[in-house]
Amino acid sequence: MSILNPSKMGANSWGWMFVTPTRAAGWVALILFIILMIYYSIPRDRSFFLDVVTDYVQVTTDHDTQIVWDIAEAHLCQPRHKLSGDPPKAQLKGNEPLCDGTIYHETLVANVELDWPQGVTLALRRTPKQPLDIVILHDEKRKLEIGGEPVVSESLLRFRQDAFDATGGFGLSGDVVIGQKAEHGTIALLRSGRFETLEKPYWRNEVYLVDEGTLSLGDVVSIEPDKGDDSSSTYVFVTTEPNVKHLRVVAVSGEGRNRLALSRATANKVYLEPSWTERLARDPFILAIGTLMAFIPAVFGAISAFLDKGKEKPEQDNETSGPDATATNVESSDVEDAVSPKTPRAKPETATVSPDAATNT
Amino acid sequence: MNKRANLLHLVLCFSVSAFLSAGSTSAAEILALEPFNIVEEDLKGEALISGNWLVGVHTIGETAPVKPQLYSYVPKGWAGRTICTRVTDQDGRYNALYEYKIPDTWKGAPIEFTYPTKFDDHIKKTDAGNSGVALHLGDCSQVSEEFLPVYWNARPAENVSGSGKLELLLNVNAGRADSVFGEITIGAVATPLQCMPTPNKSVAFNYQCRAALTVSNVSEAGIVLRRLRLGREAPSRQASVVLTRYSLDQNQ
């Protein structure tokens, strides 16, 4: 029975909107929807995982770089135009030169441990002719040494395949860019790969996968800090696999306000950020709630049906012999309830409550 | 009280008129040349990939009080010629090609190239460090290798007529070079270019080369730019540039 009639309410009273059970449920659903939308729209700390086959990865080391490289053998090639004075001839200890002696001064680096300082940009590159080249870029004012040899910026650290294989791979941390834009003359491209975005929701401790996707030939990906936030360090591990001509790179960013930037050919850089609906749809908590919501009514329905069946069993004979049941010949339990002697069928006139009658009461 | 106010007003008017007259005298000495053809001016949402290697040829001065502003010394030998100004920002989104015609009776002097633009706010933020302006001989349908250095949103420093050197800045699209170097030669004197990768991820150019030059009068200089790529030397690039030191307060 309706308690309040909107047509009879005063203009200032909106209470009727909340009182009707259907409307109240609607309002609750709307408020819940808005709360969920806000909760899942707020930016969160996130981390990225990348697994990429590429020919190029660039890392600018940061203060977190405390990884020591153990190098058995490499060739350090320094551009002659950067060296002051007349540098000595190549010191290769019987090894074949790997660099053009007219433009590079080449030195063999053997049995050294490298601990890269902060602020050095290392471009690791693989080409059809060279298994691994590392272009070293740093501020000319600072002193950088490898195996006691001063290193100028724009030098090459060149590895033979067996020497690279012997290291197992290189780890680095800092700001990372993987791939180079697909332009004419670019050899070292990202070939393929995939990314995963993981986020930590507010007031919860777990981390869950909110987005994932694939990367294509010529893509350039980097992990950048969100506006106004400091960059968080990304760890990369660079290695090769047998019979694979490219570098295999895995990168894991630290948790923070980061964004995954993607540049593709001539298109503008875009940021691969999950939407609030993706966060919601992939949240294990929501999935669990959804499962429960679907499961509980089913259980209650089953229990209710079971109990009702137990109660109705002794009266089944009466029902089946009743004139209505035989007339309609239906088996639904709801209809059985309607025609059972416990809930006698009311006459149409008394069952209908007109609005006027309701207000009069 | 009134007398004091009148006196103040008089002094103020005198100062303003003196300032304006100084400005107009200075401006009157410089030819303001309008473009006869705006081939293109566009600010796109996406970066353009330019094929030109020399994106900007700049001289470093002090920041211009009014922007946009574009000055260059045009030598006598360019009288009656068409010149093209290519302007690109570091993002590669802004691209403009303006053509100017040098008067037939030109004797050689600084010119203020007026720069009408649809993107005033964007242009005002640009300077030699974050954009490239290449002013070259010939119309914009061709890329010649004869350049004039420009003051872009800048003007010659006041002390330029002193013993200071001319600071040249070249914004270079060196492609995938590992190392960029080169030299600029005036007469028999070769000065090495100090080339550094751009600190930020620029699209239009990725190296900036600088040289501080002693220039006594109008002189043509030869630029040779060399690049190391994938462990070997790529073919070098050549250009010529007409250099001179000048002040906007006096014609040379």
Side-chain angles (χ1 to χ4, degrees), chain B residues 131-155:
Chain B
S131 65
V133 179
L135 198 158
H136 67 79
L137 193 62
D139 59 49
C140 293
S141 64
Q142 54 190 319
V143 181
S144 83
E145 303 298 344
E146 293 175 79
F147 293 87
L148 293 177
V150 297
Y151 286 103
W152 173 242
N153 282 342
R155 48 190 290 134

Side-chain angles (χ1 to χ4, degrees), chain A residues 196-214:
Chain A
E196 290 178 358
T197 307
L198 298 112
E199 282 189 347
K200 185 182 175 186
Y202 284 102
W203 310 302
R204 288 157 61 187
N205 286 325
E206 79 271 22
V207 171
Y208 70 93
L209 182 74
V210 290
D211 195 13
E212 60 189 323
T214 56

Side-chain angles (χ1 to χ4, degrees), chain A residues 27-331:
Chain A
W27 277 103
V28 168
L30 182 67
I31 290 164
L32 196 64
F33 176 79
I34 291 168
I35 289 170
L36 283 175
M37 196 172 77
I38 293 168
Y39 178 74
Y40 285 98
S41 297
I42 299 169
R44 304 137 172 232
D45 284 353
R46 64 171 74 105
S47 62
F48 298 98
F49 172 75
L50 295 151
D51 186 351
V52 177
V53 175
T54 184
D55 294 324
Y56 184 88
V57 57
Q58 181 185 298
V59 182
T60 301
T61 56
D62 61 10
H63 58 276
D64 288 340
T65 304
Q66 292 175 337
I67 304 153
V68 178
W69 289 8
D70 187 4
I71 296 175
E73 187 187 293
H75 291 239
L76 177 65
C77 304
Q78 303 194 65
R80 287 189 179 277
H81 70 89
K82 289 249 176 182
L83 299 173
S84 55
D86 195 17
K89 286 186 176 177
Q91 300 159 18
L92 301 174
K93 298 172 187 169
N95 283 266
E96 284 290 310
L98 294 183
C99 297
D100 181 349
T102 60
I103 51 173
Y104 285 104
H105 171 244
E106 190 170 346
T107 317
L108 184 74
V109 178
N111 291 324
V112 293
E113 285 192 338
L114 281 179
D115 188 358
W116 296 106
Q118 184 184 351
V120 178
T121 299
L122 301 168
L124 289 80
R125 178 178 68 202
R126 190 178 176 100
T127 64
K129 287 186 179 174
Q130 297 300 332
L132 182 67
D133 276 355
I134 301 175
V135 183
I136 303 162
L137 300 167
H138 63 90
D139 188 345
E140 301 280 4
K141 291 171 192 162
R142 66 190 295 181
K143 198 176 171 184
L144 187 72
E145 288 187 351
I146 294 179
E149 182 88 10
V151 179
V152 297
S153 184
E154 300 177 346
S155 291
L156 277 180
L157 194 60
R158 189 161 265 188
F159 292 79
R160 291 183 199 281
Q161 183 64 55
D162 55 346
F164 182 30
D165 289 344
T167 64
F170 294 124
L172 278 169
S173 71
D175 293 336
V176 174
V177 179
I178 304 174
Q180 288 183 304
K181 264 197 173 182
E183 293 171 3
H184 174 73
T186 306
I187 296 173
L189 297 165
L190 184 152
R191 301 284 158 179
S192 62
R194 66 185 181 88
F195 70 90
E196 290 178 358
T197 307
L198 298 112
E199 282 189 347
K200 185 182 175 186
Y202 284 102
W203 310 302
R204 288 157 61 187
N205 286 325
E206 79 271 22
V207 171
Y208 70 93
L209 182 74
V210 290
D211 195 13
E212 60 189 323
T214 56
L215 301 168
S216 301
L217 178 73
D219 284 354
V220 182
V221 280
S222 56
I223 296 162
E224 296 180 5
D226 213 341
K227 285 172 193 170
D229 283 296
D230 290 334
S231 168
S232 74
S233 186
T234 299
Y235 173 78
V236 290
F237 186 73
V238 184
T239 187
T240 52
E241 291 174 343
N243 305 320
V244 176
K245 290 179 181 173
H246 312 287
L247 299 172
R248 176 83 181 268
V249 175
V250 287
V252 184
S253 77
E255 210 171 84
R257 291 288 168 86
N258 300 321
R259 297 190 292 176
L260 187 67
L262 170 71
S263 300
R264 187 166 277 179
T266 59
N268 254 356
K269 183 194 284 185
V270 293
Y271 293 96
L272 303 175
E273 291 187 280
S275 64
W276 73 271
T277 49
E278 280 172 314
R279 290 189 184 115
L280 179 73
R282 288 176 179 257
D283 189 341
F285 178 72
I286 292 292
L287 292 175
I289 293 284
T291 310
L292 276 176
M293 296 282 273
F295 185 65
I296 289 171
V299 169
F300 274 100
I303 293 169
S304 173
F306 177 77
L307 292 175
D308 287 347
K309 215 166 188 179
K311 285 176 187 173
E312 288 158 11
K313 253 186 179 177
E315 296 159 9
Q316 261 185 355
D317 294 340
N318 296 338
E319 282 177 25
T320 48
S321 60
D324 288 334
T326 47
T328 52
N329 195 25
V330 288
E331 291 178 54

Side-chain angles (χ1 to χ4, degrees), chain B:
Chain B
M1 192 68 184
N2 269 347
K3 274 185 181 176
R4 193 176 286 178
N6 285 340
L7 189 66
L8 191 68
H9 183 249
L10 196 69
V11 169
L12 198 67
C13 285
F14 180 76
S15 308
V16 169
S17 61
F19 175 77
L20 289 175
S21 62
S24 61
T25 305
S26 169
E29 291 173 352
I30 308 292
L31 171 68
L33 190 65
E34 291 189 1
F36 75 91
N37 183 21
I38 296 176
V39 181
E40 185 183 348
E41 196 201 16
D42 211 351
L43 180 63
K44 294 189 175 176
E46 293 175 354
L48 299 163
I49 293 177
S50 169
N52 301 335
W53 69 275
L54 197 47
V55 176
V57 183
H58 298 263
T59 30
I60 303 300
E62 51 190 31
T63 307
V66 180
K67 296 173 183 176
Q69 211 159 63
L70 177 66
Y71 289 107
S72 185
Y73 183 91
V74 180
K76 188 181 175 183
W78 289 34
R81 309 289 296 271
T82 297
I83 59 175
C84 173
T85 303
R86 294 171 182 273
V87 184
T88 314
D89 65 356
Q90 65 179 356
D91 297 335
R93 293 195 305 123
Y94 180 80
N95 188 46
L97 302 171
Y98 285 25
E99 287 177 335
Y100 298 86
K101 180 85 187 299
I102 307 300
D104 293 336
T105 55
W106 189 245
K107 299 269 190 328
I111 290 181
E112 181 188 354
F113 295 92
T114 58
Y115 196 84
T117 176
K118 292 180 282 184
F119 310 102
D120 204 47
D121 291 342
H122 185 78
I123 285 297
K124 280 178 179 170
K125 290 176 195 160
T126 60
D127 56 30
N130 63 19
S131 65
V133 179
L135 198 158
H136 67 79
L137 193 62
D139 59 49
C140 293
S141 64
Q142 54 190 319
V143 181
S144 83
E145 303 298 344
E146 293 175 79
F147 293 87
L148 293 177
V150 297
Y151 286 103
W152 173 242
N153 282 342
R155 48 190 290 134
E158 285 301 316
N159 63 356
V160 74
S161 53
S163 57
K165 291 185 171 184
L166 187 72
E167 257 191 274
L168 189 72
L169 172 67
L170 307 176
N171 291 335
V172 177
N173 177 4
R176 302 293 182 208
D178 294 337
S179 182
V180 175
F181 60 108
E183 58 188 25
I184 180 163
T185 308
I186 305 172
V189 182
T191 308
L193 290 167
Q194 303 297 325
C195 298
M196 295 288 292
T198 49
N200 44 16
K201 289 154 191 162
S202 173
V203 172
F205 53 91
N206 56 353
Y207 270 84
Q208 290 189 311
C209 299
R210 293 170 188 271
L213 303 161
T214 305
V215 180
S216 52
N217 42 35
V218 182
S219 42
E220 189 165 318
I223 297 169
V224 177
L225 200 83
R226 299 168 68 189
R227 295 163 298 151
L228 304 185
R229 186 172 178 271
L230 302 171
R232 62 179 186 273
E233 185 163 1
S236 61
R237 303 277 200 169
Q238 283 91 29
S240 70
V241 58
V242 180
L243 300 172
T244 190
R245 284 192 298 131
Y246 58 93
S247 164
L248 296 178
D249 296 329
Q250 57 184 25
N251 282 330
Q252 290 192 2

